[in-house]
Amino acid sequence: MTLLILGVLLWTFAHYYKRLMPTQRAAMGEKGKGVIALALFVSLLLMIFGYRWAEFIPIWSPPSFFTHINNLMMLIAFFMFGMSATTGRLRGKMRHPMLMSVKIWACAHLLVNGDLASIILFGGMLAWAIGSVILINRAENWERPEPGEAKKDVILVVITLVTFTVTAIIHMLLGVSPFGG
């Protein structure tokens, strides 16, 4: 569990560093990008291995129908994540679509995982995303971008469905069925 907690803390610190300590981050110059990228890579490894190696400590037992709610929320999360990169009509409908997708992803996984490691991982990522939105909103003004072409939104829907399917297959290959059973 220690690796998992360290991973979540390192992920959060690496992302917040620029906003909470701008002078120190600026002093690092361009090499700071590499340092932050390395910290994020290490944090991902710590979270992945910390989660996989964590002892299963049950906290609550989610009802089986939450699986369907989780899958719907995940489809929405993939769509929201894609909105952050779209140049279609949906561009600019939301200020932080990528962070919103992390919030949805975290909540969806909290619904179907009732063990302590899941609560630490997904709860930690939810807290990080909420904190990120607050820090960004305080630091920057946002100008809504002009919407693009509607056909780009159709591409977003197709990419969302493909990405959701590939992710479900990867989960199954790892021995976790996202569809219950």
Side-chain angles (χ1 to χ4, degrees):
M1 208 72 69
T2 303
L3 290 179
L4 176 58
I5 293 168
L6 287 174
V8 172
L9 291 174
L10 181 58
W11 174 270
T12 302
F13 178 74
H15 277 92
Y16 287 1
Y17 185 63
K18 175 177 131 180
R19 305 234 180 253
L20 296 176
M21 303 169 119
T23 306
Q24 292 85 343
R25 173 57 188 96
M28 295 173 73
E30 281 298 307
K31 72 175 180 169
K33 289 181 182 179
V35 172
I36 297 298
L38 179 62
L40 291 171
F41 179 73
V42 170
S43 73
L44 282 172
L45 291 176
L46 288 169
M47 286 188 284
I48 291 166
F49 289 109
Y51 183 75
R52 298 289 288 176
W53 295 341
E55 177 185 356
F56 184 83
I57 301 171
I59 303 297
W60 73 293
S61 297
S64 61
F65 72 88
F66 276 8
T67 300
H68 306 297
I69 297 169
N70 171 72
N71 289 332
L72 177 60
M73 290 175 73
M74 286 307 302
L75 195 57
I76 294 167
F78 279 111
F79 183 80
M80 298 296 291
F81 193 86
M83 276 181 61
S84 66
T86 189
T87 56
R89 304 270 325 148
L90 294 173
R91 182 167 103 183
K93 293 291 183 188
M94 180 178 296
R95 182 167 182 184
H96 305 288
M98 191 178 295
L99 290 167
M100 178 59 80
S101 74
V102 172
K103 291 183 219 176
I104 295 168
W105 166 83
C107 288
H109 282 77
L110 285 168
L111 280 179
V112 294
N113 295 287
D115 62 294
L116 183 58
S118 294
I119 292 169
I120 290 169
L121 175 61
F122 302 117
M125 294 302 285
L126 176 60
W128 162 77
I130 291 168
S132 292
V133 168
I134 292 168
L135 288 173
I136 293 167
N137 286 348
R138 284 185 181 165
E140 301 172 5
N141 290 322
W142 184 57
E143 290 188 33
R144 187 178 303 277
E146 291 297 319
E149 303 173 58
K151 68 180 180 181
K152 299 288 187 171
D153 294 332
V154 173
I155 294 169
L156 171 59
V157 170
V158 171
I159 290 171
T160 297
L161 294 172
V162 169
T163 307
F164 179 82
T165 302
V166 169
T167 302
I169 291 168
I170 291 169
H171 275 71
M172 287 186 278
L173 290 172
L174 292 172
V176 179
S177 175
F179 305 108

